[in-house]
Amino acid sequence: MAAALKRAYLAVYNWAVFFGWAQVLYYAVTTLLRTGHQDVYAAVERPLQLAQTAAVLEILHGLVGLVRSPVSATLPQIGSRLFVTWGILWSFPETRTHMLVSSLVISWSVTEIIRYSFFGTKELLGSAPSWLLWLRYSSFLIMYPTGISSELGLIYIALQYIKASGKYSLRLPNTWNYSFDYFYASIMVLLIYVPGSPHMYTYMLGQRKKALSKSKTM
């Protein structure tokens, strides 16, 4: 009974977020073709925020044992995306009309549509077709570099606005006798991408090799 409830919950979760990302991709592509990249963010803002923030549940799924995905791999990916979604795009409107928003949104949404449909199908049917398995473990070869490049570019572009606005920074003196500079924190995030991105890409290559070789023996 518990196993059935777990599978039902994960199926509903995966397909709900799948439809959220499908909406993001539809709005992004139609807006890009109709009026141009400068309007893409405005068209996808709310569904993008909802779909990306829903991924926080994946960290909880890993922590409580609902899924086998290691939190050490899930947390950095979700954390960096939330930082770009809320800490950059939502916080600094000046970045929203840049063409990198289009490449970011399309890279993220294509990746997530494939991933959530793969896991949703597995939870519903017990397995996924071989073509979907291949897409799940191969699409990142292109989508991860384009997505990461867009994230890095948007964070870099935002730095000038972060510094000028002083937003989210805490200056001394204050009641807590503590200072925080969002500008330098954002630079630190950029620096973390340098070793973090190749490490994650190598990890995903290993997962791809394992998953595809396993499928050949079945």
Side-chain angles (χ1 to χ4, degrees):
M1 182 66 177
L5 286 174
K6 169 187 164 184
R7 288 187 62 180
Y9 164 74
L10 289 174
V12 170
Y13 169 77
N14 281 292
W15 284 112
V17 184
F18 162 84
F19 284 114
W21 281 110
Q23 186 180 31
V24 171
L25 181 61
Y26 173 77
Y27 287 155
V29 172
T30 55
T31 303
L32 188 61
L33 294 174
R34 188 170 59 245
T35 61
H37 69 267
Q38 68 278 358
D39 296 320
V40 167
Y41 180 81
V44 304
E45 180 178 34
R46 186 52 57 85
L48 172 66
Q49 291 170 347
L50 290 173
Q52 190 55 67
T53 305
V56 171
L57 289 173
E58 292 180 39
I59 300 171
L60 297 177
H61 295 164
L63 287 172
V64 301
L66 275 179
V67 297
R68 290 181 295 176
S69 302
V71 175
S72 59
T74 307
L75 184 59
Q77 281 189 303
I78 294 174
S80 63
R81 284 189 174 197
L82 288 174
F83 175 71
V84 173
T85 301
W86 293 102
I88 299 298
L89 292 173
W90 181 76
S91 299
F92 300 95
E94 299 91 341
T95 62
R96 297 175 185 175
T97 56
H98 198 279
M99 63 186 300
L100 284 176
V101 173
S102 298
S103 57
L104 175 87
V105 169
I106 291 172
S107 298
W108 282 5
S109 56
V110 169
T111 298
E112 300 299 36
I113 285 169
I114 294 169
R115 188 167 71 92
Y116 284 110
S117 63
F118 172 77
F119 287 117
T121 302
K122 280 189 71 175
E123 295 300 337
L124 278 179
L125 306 178
S127 63
S130 57
W131 62 268
L132 188 54
L133 175 72
W134 186 87
L135 279 176
R136 163 69 181 96
Y137 290 100
S138 301
S139 60
F140 79 89
L141 293 170
I142 296 173
M143 294 302 150
Y144 187 78
T146 57
I148 285 292
S149 299
S150 302
E151 290 175 37
L152 284 167
L154 287 167
I155 296 171
Y156 178 77
I157 290 164
L159 287 177
Q160 58 182 309
Y161 307 114
I162 294 171
K163 187 172 185 178
S165 69
K167 201 170 189 177
Y168 304 139
S169 295
L170 186 63
R171 311 295 186 193
L172 288 171
N174 58 65
T175 306
W176 299 279
N177 197 31
Y178 169 80
S179 65
F180 172 77
D181 196 309
Y182 194 63
F183 173 74
Y184 290 110
S186 298
I187 291 177
M188 286 298 298
V189 172
L190 277 177
L191 293 176
I192 291 171
Y193 270 85
V194 176
S197 300
H199 173 75
M200 186 58 66
Y201 196 72
T202 303
Y203 169 79
M204 290 189 292
L205 284 173
Q207 292 296 100
R208 179 180 190 269
K209 183 178 180 181
K210 186 189 303 182
L212 296 184
S213 61
K214 183 179 177 182
S215 70
K216 290 177 182 178
T217 61
M218 294 176 65

